[in-house]
Amino acid sequence: MNNAFKALSDPTRRKILDLLKDRDLTAGEISDHFNMTKPSISQHLKLLKNADLVQDEKKGQFVVYSLNTTVFQELISWALEFIDKGDGQK
Amino acid sequence: MNNAFKALSDPTRRKILDLLKDRDLTAGEISDHFNMTKPSISQHLKLLKNADLVQDEKKGQFVVYSLNTTVFQELISWALEFIDKGDGQK
DNA sequence: AATTCATTTAAGTATTTAACTAAATACTAC
DNA sequence: GTAGTATTTAGTTAAATACTTAAATGAATT
């Protein structure tokens, strides 16, 4: 999960994830939403992919990115433990 | 939430939160769990506090730290949106 | 096979971050 | 008020990060 937390710590990457909530997008479409060069966005996408937060699929000369929800589920489990454990002590 | 994500991106800070799941701890007790100087831990605690992930309370010469669960709840809500939105598209 | 378009990789730079040591603050007890 | 303990603040350094531009890869088009 460390990669995921690292990946989520950047606002640009979280905004990319937000965009992918609506629909799958190519790398180019994603970068169109930012005031940033394509290589920069490509790096962010690489990080998101290494963190298993997104998947990519080659479609001809395009690369289509989509959300991978499994890590989000893990994140929820992780956060729930902090809320549950509140009972035992005070 | 940006501060929270930033705060959560560091393994040491996540371990601090894990420790506080069991019980409230003083700054000193927390730093005893790490191979790291007290000032370093103090900085981490400051960040966690600014992110509203922990609270502190002065008890005499000690400072007792405890979890603040509200941001964890927000985090769950945030993550849930990514799972729910999975329906609409494929 | 040469050209163009989409994307990534490489290399360099500026900023941020996480650690340290030393000094300051704050409380406790004599 | 001096001494001791707990914690934080300040200043520094090394490593990590987020950008940039330039070059490389790979597919589509003529």
Side-chain angles (χ1 to χ4, degrees):
Chain A
M1 290 273 288
N2 188 41
N3 282 347
F5 281 113
K6 278 270 171 62
L8 292 172
S9 71
D10 184 85
T12 299
R13 288 192 288 269
R14 289 200 305 279
K15 191 175 167 192
I16 290 175
L17 294 174
D18 277 332
L19 292 171
L20 293 174
K21 258 194 314 203
D22 289 335
R23 60 187 186 84
D24 299 350
L25 295 168
T26 68
E29 288 174 323
I30 291 169
S31 77
D32 286 343
H33 286 82
F34 295 90
N35 256 343
M36 204 177 289
T37 62
K38 286 176 198 299
S40 295
I41 296 297
S42 183
Q43 285 290 0
H44 285 302
L45 289 169
K46 188 182 188 176
L47 270 170
L48 287 169
K49 188 181 165 188
N50 287 340
D52 283 324
L53 288 160
V54 304
Q55 304 165 315
D56 63 349
E57 189 188 354
K58 195 134 200 180
K59 281 267 176 69
Q61 63 189 323
F62 300 90
V63 178
V64 178
Y65 283 89
S66 58
L67 289 178
N68 180 357
T69 57
T70 60
V71 174
F72 291 96
Q73 311 237 29
E74 290 177 38
L75 189 66
I76 290 170
S77 304
W78 177 86
L80 273 173
E81 289 191 17
F82 289 93
I83 294 171
D84 295 342
K85 298 281 171 149
D87 306 337
Q89 73 187 357
K90 197 176 248 175
Chain B
M1 289 272 288
N2 188 41
N3 282 347
F5 281 113
K6 279 270 173 60
L8 292 172
S9 71
D10 184 84
T12 299
R13 288 191 289 268
R14 290 201 304 280
K15 190 175 168 193
I16 291 175
L17 295 173
D18 276 332
L19 293 171
L20 293 174
K21 257 195 314 206
D22 290 335
R23 59 188 186 83
D24 298 350
L25 294 169
T26 67
E29 287 174 322
I30 291 169
S31 77
D32 286 343
H33 286 82
F34 295 89
N35 256 343
M36 203 177 290
T37 62
K38 286 176 198 299
S40 295
I41 295 297
S42 183
Q43 285 292 358
H44 284 304
L45 289 170
K46 188 182 187 176
L47 269 170
L48 287 170
K49 188 181 164 188
N50 287 341
D52 284 323
L53 288 160
V54 304
Q55 303 166 314
D56 64 349
E57 189 189 353
K58 194 134 201 178
K59 280 271 176 67
Q61 62 189 321
F62 300 91
V63 179
V64 178
Y65 282 89
S66 58
L67 289 178
N68 180 357
T69 57
T70 60
V71 174
F72 292 95
Q73 311 239 31
E74 289 177 39
L75 189 67
I76 290 170
S77 303
W78 177 86
L80 274 173
E81 289 191 19
F82 290 92
I83 296 172
D84 295 341
K85 299 281 170 149
D87 307 338
Q89 74 187 356
K90 196 179 251 170

mmCIF file of all heavy atoms in Angstrom, chain A residues 1 71-81, chain B residues 75-77 79-81 83:
data_model
loop_
_atom_site.group_PDB
_atom_site.id
_atom_site.type_symbol
_atom_site.label_atom_id
_atom_site.label_comp_id
_atom_site.label_asym_id
_atom_site.label_seq_id
_atom_site.Cartn_x
_atom_site.Cartn_y
_atom_site.Cartn_z
ATOM 1 N N MET A 1 0.827 -1.227 0.000
ATOM 2 C CA MET A 1 0.000 0.000 0.000
ATOM 3 C C MET A 1 0.858 1.273 0.000
ATOM 4 O O MET A 1 0.348 2.363 -0.239
ATOM 5 C CB MET A 1 -0.920 0.033 1.221
ATOM 6 C CG MET A 1 -2.038 -0.978 1.204
ATOM 7 S SD MET A 1 -3.499 -0.341 0.328
ATOM 8 C CE MET A 1 -4.092 0.863 1.514
ATOM 9 N N VAL A 71 -7.430 -1.236 -5.126
ATOM 10 C CA VAL A 71 -6.671 -0.544 -4.082
ATOM 11 C C VAL A 71 -7.565 0.416 -3.293
ATOM 12 O O VAL A 71 -7.356 0.618 -2.096
ATOM 13 C CB VAL A 71 -5.464 0.201 -4.678
ATOM 14 C CG1 VAL A 71 -4.766 1.028 -3.618
ATOM 15 C CG2 VAL A 71 -4.481 -0.795 -5.275
ATOM 16 N N PHE A 72 -8.556 0.962 -3.953
ATOM 17 C CA PHE A 72 -9.500 1.832 -3.237
ATOM 18 C C PHE A 72 -10.230 1.037 -2.151
ATOM 19 O O PHE A 72 -10.487 1.540 -1.063
ATOM 20 C CB PHE A 72 -10.486 2.467 -4.204
ATOM 21 C CG PHE A 72 -9.859 3.482 -5.127
ATOM 22 C CD1 PHE A 72 -9.449 3.113 -6.394
ATOM 23 C CD2 PHE A 72 -9.674 4.790 -4.724
ATOM 24 C CE1 PHE A 72 -8.864 4.042 -7.251
ATOM 25 C CE2 PHE A 72 -9.094 5.726 -5.560
ATOM 26 C CZ PHE A 72 -8.684 5.347 -6.833
ATOM 27 N N GLN A 73 -10.550 -0.186 -2.484
ATOM 28 C CA GLN A 73 -11.193 -1.051 -1.494
ATOM 29 C C GLN A 73 -10.261 -1.282 -0.300
ATOM 30 O O GLN A 73 -10.679 -1.189 0.862
ATOM 31 C CB GLN A 73 -11.532 -2.401 -2.118
ATOM 32 C CG GLN A 73 -12.251 -2.279 -3.449
ATOM 33 C CD GLN A 73 -13.587 -2.975 -3.466
ATOM 34 O OE1 GLN A 73 -14.240 -3.083 -2.422
ATOM 35 N NE2 GLN A 73 -13.992 -3.436 -4.628
ATOM 36 N N GLU A 74 -9.011 -1.592 -0.613
ATOM 37 C CA GLU A 74 -8.034 -1.799 0.465
ATOM 38 C C GLU A 74 -7.910 -0.555 1.326
ATOM 39 O O GLU A 74 -7.796 -0.635 2.562
ATOM 40 C CB GLU A 74 -6.663 -2.132 -0.114
ATOM 41 C CG GLU A 74 -6.574 -3.506 -0.773
ATOM 42 C CD GLU A 74 -5.203 -3.740 -1.403
ATOM 43 O OE1 GLU A 74 -4.208 -3.317 -0.800
ATOM 44 O OE2 GLU A 74 -5.144 -4.316 -2.507
ATOM 45 N N LEU A 75 -7.933 0.586 0.677
ATOM 46 C CA LEU A 75 -7.815 1.853 1.393
ATOM 47 C C LEU A 75 -8.967 2.027 2.382
ATOM 48 O O LEU A 75 -8.782 2.469 3.524
ATOM 49 C CB LEU A 75 -7.805 3.005 0.393
ATOM 50 C CG LEU A 75 -7.472 4.379 0.938
ATOM 51 C CD1 LEU A 75 -6.030 4.427 1.430
ATOM 52 C CD2 LEU A 75 -7.710 5.448 -0.118
ATOM 53 N N ILE A 76 -10.149 1.644 1.937
ATOM 54 C CA ILE A 76 -11.315 1.747 2.814
ATOM 55 C C ILE A 76 -11.175 0.816 4.011
ATOM 56 O O ILE A 76 -11.402 1.208 5.158
ATOM 57 C CB ILE A 76 -12.599 1.435 2.026
ATOM 58 C CG1 ILE A 76 -12.887 2.570 1.027
ATOM 59 C CG2 ILE A 76 -13.788 1.239 2.961
ATOM 60 C CD1 ILE A 76 -13.975 2.268 0.029
ATOM 61 N N SER A 77 -10.740 -0.407 3.758
ATOM 62 C CA SER A 77 -10.507 -1.341 4.862
ATOM 63 C C SER A 77 -9.492 -0.768 5.846
ATOM 64 O O SER A 77 -9.683 -0.829 7.063
ATOM 65 C CB SER A 77 -9.982 -2.678 4.332
ATOM 66 O OG SER A 77 -10.866 -3.208 3.376
ATOM 67 N N TRP A 78 -8.446 -0.224 5.293
ATOM 68 C CA TRP A 78 -7.399 0.351 6.127
ATOM 69 C C TRP A 78 -7.958 1.467 7.014
ATOM 70 O O TRP A 78 -7.733 1.492 8.224
ATOM 71 C CB TRP A 78 -6.280 0.887 5.238
ATOM 72 C CG TRP A 78 -5.166 1.570 5.958
ATOM 73 C CD1 TRP A 78 -4.068 0.990 6.497
ATOM 74 C CD2 TRP A 78 -5.050 2.967 6.222
ATOM 75 N NE1 TRP A 78 -3.275 1.940 7.080
ATOM 76 C CE2 TRP A 78 -3.848 3.162 6.931
ATOM 77 C CE3 TRP A 78 -5.831 4.083 5.925
ATOM 78 C CZ2 TRP A 78 -3.420 4.421 7.354
ATOM 79 C CZ3 TRP A 78 -5.414 5.327 6.342
ATOM 80 C CH2 TRP A 78 -4.218 5.495 7.050
ATOM 81 N N ALA A 79 -8.723 2.346 6.432
ATOM 82 C CA ALA A 79 -9.251 3.497 7.183
ATOM 83 C C ALA A 79 -10.295 3.061 8.203
ATOM 84 O O ALA A 79 -10.383 3.631 9.298
ATOM 85 C CB ALA A 79 -9.849 4.519 6.215
ATOM 86 N N LEU A 80 -11.058 2.051 7.871
ATOM 87 C CA LEU A 80 -12.098 1.573 8.792
ATOM 88 C C LEU A 80 -11.506 1.118 10.123
ATOM 89 O O LEU A 80 -12.112 1.310 11.176
ATOM 90 C CB LEU A 80 -12.881 0.422 8.160
ATOM 91 C CG LEU A 80 -14.057 0.824 7.284
ATOM 92 C CD1 LEU A 80 -14.645 -0.390 6.577
ATOM 93 C CD2 LEU A 80 -15.133 1.513 8.117
ATOM 94 N N GLU A 81 -10.321 0.537 10.058
ATOM 95 C CA GLU A 81 -9.716 0.051 11.303
ATOM 96 C C GLU A 81 -9.469 1.173 12.304
ATOM 97 O O GLU A 81 -9.479 0.951 13.512
ATOM 98 C CB GLU A 81 -8.396 -0.657 11.003
ATOM 99 C CG GLU A 81 -8.610 -2.000 10.316
ATOM 100 C CD GLU A 81 -7.316 -2.797 10.273
ATOM 101 O OE1 GLU A 81 -6.406 -2.455 11.042
ATOM 102 O OE2 GLU A 81 -7.235 -3.745 9.469
ATOM 103 N N LEU B 75 -11.940 10.193 4.339
ATOM 104 C CA LEU B 75 -11.140 9.390 3.419
ATOM 105 C C LEU B 75 -11.965 8.228 2.864
ATOM 106 O O LEU B 75 -11.894 7.903 1.665
ATOM 107 C CB LEU B 75 -9.919 8.852 4.163
ATOM 108 C CG LEU B 75 -8.860 8.166 3.311
ATOM 109 C CD1 LEU B 75 -8.197 9.172 2.384
ATOM 110 C CD2 LEU B 75 -7.821 7.495 4.197
ATOM 111 N N ILE B 76 -12.750 7.632 3.714
ATOM 112 C CA ILE B 76 -13.605 6.529 3.273
ATOM 113 C C ILE B 76 -14.632 7.023 2.255
ATOM 114 O O ILE B 76 -14.833 6.406 1.205
ATOM 115 C CB ILE B 76 -14.291 5.868 4.482
ATOM 116 C CG1 ILE B 76 -13.241 5.114 5.301
ATOM 117 C CG2 ILE B 76 -15.401 4.926 4.036
ATOM 118 C CD1 ILE B 76 -13.741 4.611 6.638
ATOM 119 N N SER B 77 -15.258 8.143 2.557
ATOM 120 C CA SER B 77 -16.227 8.720 1.610
ATOM 121 C C SER B 77 -15.554 8.976 0.263
ATOM 122 O O SER B 77 -16.111 8.671 -0.793
ATOM 123 C CB SER B 77 -16.783 10.039 2.152
ATOM 124 O OG SER B 77 -17.366 9.844 3.410
ATOM 125 N N ALA B 79 -12.914 7.551 -1.059
ATOM 126 C CA ALA B 79 -12.575 6.312 -1.771
ATOM 127 C C ALA B 79 -13.819 5.618 -2.314
ATOM 128 O O ALA B 79 -13.784 5.017 -3.391
ATOM 129 C CB ALA B 79 -11.801 5.380 -0.849
ATOM 130 N N LEU B 80 -14.896 5.719 -1.570
ATOM 131 C CA LEU B 80 -16.139 5.070 -2.004
ATOM 132 C C LEU B 80 -16.602 5.583 -3.360
ATOM 133 O O LEU B 80 -17.133 4.830 -4.175
ATOM 134 C CB LEU B 80 -17.245 5.287 -0.974
ATOM 135 C CG LEU B 80 -17.281 4.274 0.172
ATOM 136 C CD1 LEU B 80 -18.307 4.697 1.219
ATOM 137 C CD2 LEU B 80 -17.615 2.881 -0.363
ATOM 138 N N GLU B 81 -16.380 6.853 -3.609
ATOM 139 C CA GLU B 81 -16.824 7.421 -4.892
ATOM 140 C C GLU B 81 -16.163 6.740 -6.078
ATOM 141 O O GLU B 81 -16.735 6.679 -7.163
ATOM 142 C CB GLU B 81 -16.543 8.917 -4.920
ATOM 143 C CG GLU B 81 -17.463 9.703 -3.997
ATOM 144 C CD GLU B 81 -17.350 11.191 -4.247
ATOM 145 O OE1 GLU B 81 -16.857 11.557 -5.325
ATOM 146 O OE2 GLU B 81 -17.751 11.971 -3.347
ATOM 147 N N ILE B 83 -15.305 3.634 -6.229
ATOM 148 C CA ILE B 83 -15.869 2.302 -6.400
ATOM 149 C C ILE B 83 -17.275 2.378 -6.982
ATOM 150 O O ILE B 83 -17.610 1.651 -7.913
ATOM 151 C CB ILE B 83 -15.871 1.558 -5.049
ATOM 152 C CG1 ILE B 83 -14.431 1.348 -4.604
ATOM 153 C CG2 ILE B 83 -16.608 0.244 -5.155
ATOM 154 C CD1 ILE B 83 -14.294 0.815 -3.223
#
